[in-house]
Amino acid sequence: MLKEFTDSTAIAADGPALAARLEHDGYLFIRGLLPRDAVRDVRAQFLAHAARGGWLAAGHPVEAAIADPARACKDPEPRYLEVFKPMWMLEALHRLKHHPNIVGVFERIFGEAVLVHPLLVARNIFPQSADFDFTTGSHQDRIHIGGGTSYACWTPLGDCPRSKGSLIMAEGSHRRGVLDIRLAAGAGGLELVDDFEGSWVGSDFAMGDCVIFADTIAHKALPNRSSELRQSFDARYQRLSDPVADVSVGTYGGMCSWDEVYAGWSQDDLKHYWIRQGAKIVPFDRQYYERRDQIAFDLAARGDRIARDTLLRVVQRDPDAAKRARAQTLLDALDAVPA
Ligand SMILES: O=C(O)CCC(=O)C(=O)O
């Protein structure tokens, strides 16, 4: 059963109260944190790309975001990334993660300067169907983000009731350290072994509502049971005085350089800002990915297609050439067998 999020809107101006609740529950749900117009602008630009990319069903207004199920695709498939890349590069998207309403919350919580991670994630989740499902399984961000302690802010680009696949949290799970994982389909390619029965909390989101959460809280998305694309972004924030992993100052999946991203931007203030701020950059701790990838290699060697998404991620993103080659061989072998 899913309980309602505790609503922190009323304490959003009170740093010590926010910090105490974040420490206790592991998350903060704040209604209307972002102005709807700012979110609507990014949504409109995302949908224009989605329409151009052929992701939307004919016969509906673009603003309705009705997906064409025949075009369902997911990150990191090349046909997804082709449409996604220009979305991710949008100046308005990056500006939204720096919105003073979000950064202000973190300034009040930390009581010191905030580093907004340059890397942010944006998502387009096609509706779930009998042959397509890309629901994010339960996970902790720590293993993906590394560096010092960080916090995420997740917000849908548009109203997002639970039925459209909003994000839910396992209340209090952030106090249990880094937990055991297994391979799964869906974003990240893994899920936590524990099912956190009885701890899940969530809410319907209106455009502008945000959930902020600790990097050790277990969280997952609900399936998108609507006919619309579920679009969202999640960005990360930390104390400037803490170290940040090198991957968090790069572009998404290293798919391009920052200069390519900036080429279409109209203002300079957000370009390479973390260098001017003096961010303390450290190598990403790959131990959890190494464990996930080993599980994927073992399962793929036994012909288990659950390993496919993780192998694809290794092929596209792992810094080790020999490992990439091994993943490609296993991927080819999996794909040679009809699904
Ligand atoms: O939006 C999603 O499906 C997953 C988001 C998430 O897991 C995150 O922000 O860490």
Side-chain angles (χ1 to χ4, degrees):
M1 257 326 279
L2 190 62
K3 283 191 306 175
E4 277 289 323
F5 278 144
T6 299
D7 188 333
S8 294
T9 314
I11 61 164
D14 181 343
L18 290 171
R21 189 169 287 168
L22 185 55
E23 172 75 25
H24 185 267
D25 293 346
Y27 74 92
L28 298 166
F29 179 58
I30 305 180
R31 291 217 178 263
L33 182 61
L34 284 170
R36 288 174 71 86
D37 283 350
V39 183
R40 194 179 289 112
D41 173 44
V42 176
R43 172 183 167 84
Q45 296 192 51
F46 264 54
L47 287 174
H49 283 291
R52 264 198 298 279
W55 285 359
L56 300 182
H60 301 274
V62 170
E63 311 82 76
I66 307 296
D68 179 350
R71 301 299 296 270
C73 56
K74 57 190 182 180
D75 188 26
E77 293 172 357
R79 66 198 170 118
Y80 176 86
L81 293 177
E82 201 180 303
V83 180
F84 175 70
K85 187 173 169 183
M87 292 177 174
W88 193 87
M89 294 165 94
L90 288 169
E91 180 173 9
L93 172 68
H94 289 262
R95 200 159 285 285
L96 198 55
K97 89 182 162 183
H98 286 273
H99 197 284
N101 293 5
I102 305 180
V103 177
V105 163
F106 285 106
E107 278 168 352
R108 290 194 285 284
I109 293 173
F110 298 155
E112 59 174 285
V114 176
L115 174 70
V116 181
H117 284 199
L119 178 68
L120 86 165
V121 185
R123 305 179 197 250
N124 300 270
I125 309 291
F126 278 78
Q128 188 187 48
S129 70
D131 35 42
F132 183 87
D133 184 14
F134 195 49
T135 308
T136 306
S138 66
H139 66 281
Q140 297 168 301
D141 282 356
R142 170 128 282 275
I143 71 169
H144 299 294
I145 308 292
T149 300
S150 68
Y151 300 85
C153 177
W154 183 94
T155 196
L157 298 172
D159 295 341
C160 186
R162 278 164 264 219
S163 55
K164 198 167 133 187
S166 62
L167 205 65
I168 62 173
M169 304 282 138
E171 198 168 35
S173 57
H174 62 299
R175 294 191 219 105
R176 293 174 47 193
V178 174
L179 299 164
D180 280 348
I181 53 163
R182 65 176 165 231
L183 240 51
L190 53 82
E191 67 184 5
L192 294 165
V193 173
D194 196 325
D195 62 9
F196 304 97
E197 203 42 56
S199 313
W200 292 108
V201 287
S203 285
D204 294 337
F205 284 68
M207 187 159 59
D209 296 348
C210 297
V211 63
I212 283 168
F213 51 97
D215 64 359
T216 48
I217 194 168
H219 60 286
K220 65 179 179 180
L222 293 169
N224 179 3
R225 299 210 164 94
S226 75
S227 53
E228 296 168 43
L229 273 184
R230 191 273 265 162
Q231 299 178 306
S232 60
F233 87 83
D234 39 281
R236 303 212 153 52
Y237 304 81
Q238 63 168 78
R239 291 171 180 83
L240 177 61
S241 57
D242 279 345
V244 58
D246 49 9
V247 291
S248 297
V249 302
T251 61
Y252 190 71
M255 66 184 171
C256 55
S257 70
W258 281 112
D259 286 335
E260 274 176 82
V261 175
Y262 297 152
W265 288 22
S266 62
Q267 292 178 65
D268 292 335
D269 57 324
L270 294 182
K271 296 181 181 171
H272 302 295
Y273 66 91
W274 63 97
I275 298 171
R276 289 192 299 281
Q277 274 189 301
K280 295 179 186 151
I281 302 168
V282 296
F284 176 63
D285 175 1
R286 302 196 66 84
Q287 63 166 313
Y288 303 110
Y289 279 3
E290 292 304 334
R291 203 159 84 215
R292 176 197 67 183
D293 299 345
Q294 192 50 55
I295 301 173
F297 284 177
D298 291 347
L299 288 172
R302 283 187 259 135
D304 192 332
R305 290 183 64 80
I306 192 80
R308 205 179 172 283
D309 284 351
T310 301
L311 294 177
L312 204 51
R313 252 176 219 106
V314 174
V315 168
Q316 289 183 1
R317 299 179 184 167
D318 201 281
D320 177 345
K323 195 172 156 197
R324 289 199 303 273
R326 180 158 176 236
Q328 185 65 61
T329 307
L330 287 163
L331 197 56
D332 293 344
L334 279 184
D335 287 348
V337 180

